[in-house]
Amino acid sequence: MRSAFKGWMLAAGLALAGLAPAAAQPAATEGNAASAPAAVGTIGNSANTAERAPDQAPTAPQVAADGAPVLSAEPIIGQPTDRLMSIQPQVTKNGQRAMGFHNNILLPLIVIICLLVLVLLVWVVIRYRQAANPIPSKTSHNTIIEVVWTLAPVLILVAIAVPSIGLLSAQFKPAPAGAVTLKAIGNQWYWSYQYPDHGGVEITANMLKEKDEVAAGERFRTDADGPRLLATDNRVVLPVGVPIRLITTANDVIHSWAIPAFWIKLDAVPGRLNETSFTIEKPGVYFGQCSELCGARHAYMPIAVEAVPPAQFAAWIRSKGGSMPGAAQPSSAEIPQPGADNSASVAADANTADMMTGPTQNATAEPATSPQGATGNPGGTGDTGR
């Protein structure tokens, strides 16, 4: 019995001795962390590139093989959610303003008007039914009631119009100098993007298919990519806290670039440049779709935007072969129309022709024709395999 007790005591002592260094470890770590100097340094964006770059490359979000930051989509944030009975959480000033307009003005007015009409209907049905009112009144006019039902709608419309006009004006406020320019080009049926202020970076975004819809070895959608029908193989990358100048156009038919979490919906019209501006206030992944009926595969033109800190945006631009503009440089880059003589696609075709046959002298190029039918239009480079 005594030997067994000694054995238990010895085992307990050894266990305590083994735990002592582990318990002391966090204190030593905290001391080292407190004594180590904090890393200082930021990297500029298009609004301010005079700041010093960090000594180490940014590590979050991670950078994939193609240079695109890898962020997983979060539930509710930036995407539709089952049984969500409200507007998506807004991450821009205009979106927050519009959401407040909806929740604080429109919704109360709608509820009050509906309840008033319901009460009046119930009161009329009960009070003026034949059993309770066998001899109806022959009164034909009531001045007070007529004044009330004329002034009340006028006051309601004024209460809606004043904030609505202000919000509409804010949505089309020009972007300030130093804004990041993003050009979104609609195609049947995918989106292509250009960053004209950052060395002409271009990307093409196609919808990711499900696992059972692709051949072996091809990339398919995962939960980290985003919801079904909204995930893309290439995400648009934009900086947080920096004004974004969005320009939209199209190559074939009318499309519409829409991100609900940004409160943005801008038509992309062939032969025309539409413009708006916004500023993303929270990092994350945000999804949208083409919101203009554009043909047979209209439902398969998703938009995925990855909002990252300016340092990660600058790193992504460099990984794509682009460059950051000078400090406070205005977004004045020339934005040619698709198919114009100085557009990227025409320049690429000319370079290819020169490499194959040599430069053509004094030749008049005929404009390319493109059928507008939704089902007869051949897919572009982004429609491979569809």
Side-chain angles (χ1 to χ4, degrees), residues 1 52 54 63 90 137 139 151 202 208 211 240 246 266 272 278 289 301 307 318 330 359 365 379-380:
M1 183 68 178
R52 186 172 64 86
V63 177
Q90 297 296 303
S137 172
T139 303
L151 289 180
E202 297 187 24
L208 285 174
K211 185 176 182 179
V240 173
L246 173 65
L266 193 64
R272 176 174 178 177
F278 58 93
Q289 288 178 304
M301 284 186 63
R318 289 194 296 269

Side-chain angles (χ1 to χ4, degrees), residues 76-157:
I76 300 179
I77 304 299
Q79 59 179 299
T81 305
D82 290 340
R83 302 180 183 180
L84 180 66
M85 298 180 64
S86 179
I87 300 173
Q88 288 187 19
Q90 297 296 303
V91 294
T92 64
K93 288 292 186 184
N94 286 340
Q96 295 166 5
R97 181 175 176 180
M99 193 170 186
F101 177 43
H102 172 270
N103 294 339
N104 302 327
I105 298 179
L106 292 181
L107 197 57
L109 280 175
I110 292 171
V111 172
I112 292 173
I113 293 173
C114 290
L115 291 178
L116 176 62
V117 172
L118 179 62
V119 170
L120 290 175
L121 286 174
V122 173
W123 181 64
V124 168
V125 169
I126 296 176
R127 173 64 181 81
Y128 296 104
R129 70 187 191 278
Q130 184 176 5
N133 190 34
I135 302 177
S137 172
K138 296 182 179 181
T139 303
S140 60
H141 294 285
N142 188 303
T143 303
I144 296 178
I145 293 179
E146 291 183 358
V147 171
V148 169
W149 74 35
T150 301
L151 289 180
V154 172
L155 296 177
I156 292 173
L157 291 177

Side-chain angles (χ1 to χ4, degrees), residues 3-386:
S3 60
F5 178 75
K6 289 182 178 180
W8 282 106
M9 292 297 293
L10 180 59
L14 292 174
L16 291 175
L19 291 175
Q25 184 68 27
T29 303
E30 293 175 2
N32 293 337
S35 61
V40 179
T42 57
I43 191 166
N45 48 54
S46 59
N48 186 3
T49 55
E51 300 172 349
R52 186 172 64 86
D55 296 331
Q56 297 180 352
T59 58
Q62 297 176 352
V63 177
D66 63 351
V70 178
L71 285 179
S72 297
E74 299 180 16
I76 300 179
I77 304 299
Q79 59 179 299
T81 305
D82 290 340
R83 302 180 183 180
L84 180 66
M85 298 180 64
S86 179
I87 300 173
Q88 288 187 19
Q90 297 296 303
V91 294
T92 64
K93 288 292 186 184
N94 286 340
Q96 295 166 5
R97 181 175 176 180
M99 193 170 186
F101 177 43
H102 172 270
N103 294 339
N104 302 327
I105 298 179
L106 292 181
L107 197 57
L109 280 175
I110 292 171
V111 172
I112 292 173
I113 293 173
C114 290
L115 291 178
L116 176 62
V117 172
L118 179 62
V119 170
L120 290 175
L121 286 174
V122 173
W123 181 64
V124 168
V125 169
I126 296 176
R127 173 64 181 81
Y128 296 104
R129 70 187 191 278
Q130 184 176 5
N133 190 34
I135 302 177
S137 172
K138 296 182 179 181
T139 303
S140 60
H141 294 285
N142 188 303
T143 303
I144 296 178
I145 293 179
E146 291 183 358
V147 171
V148 169
W149 74 35
T150 301
L151 289 180
V154 172
L155 296 177
I156 292 173
L157 291 177
V158 170
I160 295 175
V162 172
S164 179
I165 293 174
L167 177 61
L168 185 64
S169 176
Q171 291 179 2
F172 292 95
K173 183 179 179 180
V180 172
T181 301
L182 173 68
K183 183 180 180 183
I185 305 171
N187 307 272
Q188 288 184 317
W189 287 272
Y190 63 97
W191 290 97
S192 55
Y193 301 93
Q194 298 176 359
Y195 294 78
D197 292 333
H198 297 79
V201 174
E202 297 187 24
I203 62 173
T204 298
N206 288 285
M207 185 189 74
L208 285 174
K209 299 181 180 180
E210 298 301 299
K211 185 176 182 179
D212 57 351
E213 297 175 344
V214 300
E218 293 185 7
R219 186 184 174 191
F220 54 86
R221 185 194 68 85
T222 64
D223 291 339
D225 292 312
R228 176 179 173 269
L229 301 180
L230 291 180
T232 61
D233 55 358
N234 284 313
R235 294 173 178 172
V236 178
V237 180
L238 295 173
V240 173
V242 179
I244 307 299
R245 177 192 180 205
L246 173 65
I247 297 175
T248 59
T249 188
N251 278 324
D252 33 54
V253 298
I254 299 177
H255 301 275
S256 186
W257 201 87
I259 298 285
F262 297 169
W263 203 260
I264 290 293
K265 181 182 180 295
L266 193 64
D267 285 351
V269 183
R272 176 174 178 177
L273 297 177
N274 288 334
E275 179 177 335
T276 188
S277 64
F278 58 93
T279 302
I280 308 171
E281 298 185 342
K282 181 181 178 181
V285 183
Y286 305 96
F287 298 94
Q289 288 178 304
C290 174
S291 297
E292 185 75 29
L293 187 60
C294 59
R297 298 191 62 85
H298 159 68
Y300 307 102
M301 284 186 63
I303 304 165
V305 175
E306 194 163 307
V308 299
Q312 276 72 37
F313 174 72
W316 180 82
I317 287 293
R318 289 194 296 269
S319 71
K320 292 293 186 180
S323 59
M324 299 299 292
Q329 179 178 340
S331 297
S332 57
E334 184 178 2
I335 314 293
Q337 290 282 9
D341 292 340
N342 56 344
S343 65
S345 59
V346 172
D349 293 342
N351 291 335
T352 303
D354 290 346
M355 293 176 61
M356 297 178 62
T357 62
T360 303
Q361 301 293 335
N362 299 326
T364 302
E366 297 182 0
T369 58
S370 175
Q372 297 297 311
T375 57
N377 191 22
T381 56
D383 261 355
T384 303
R386 293 187 178 177

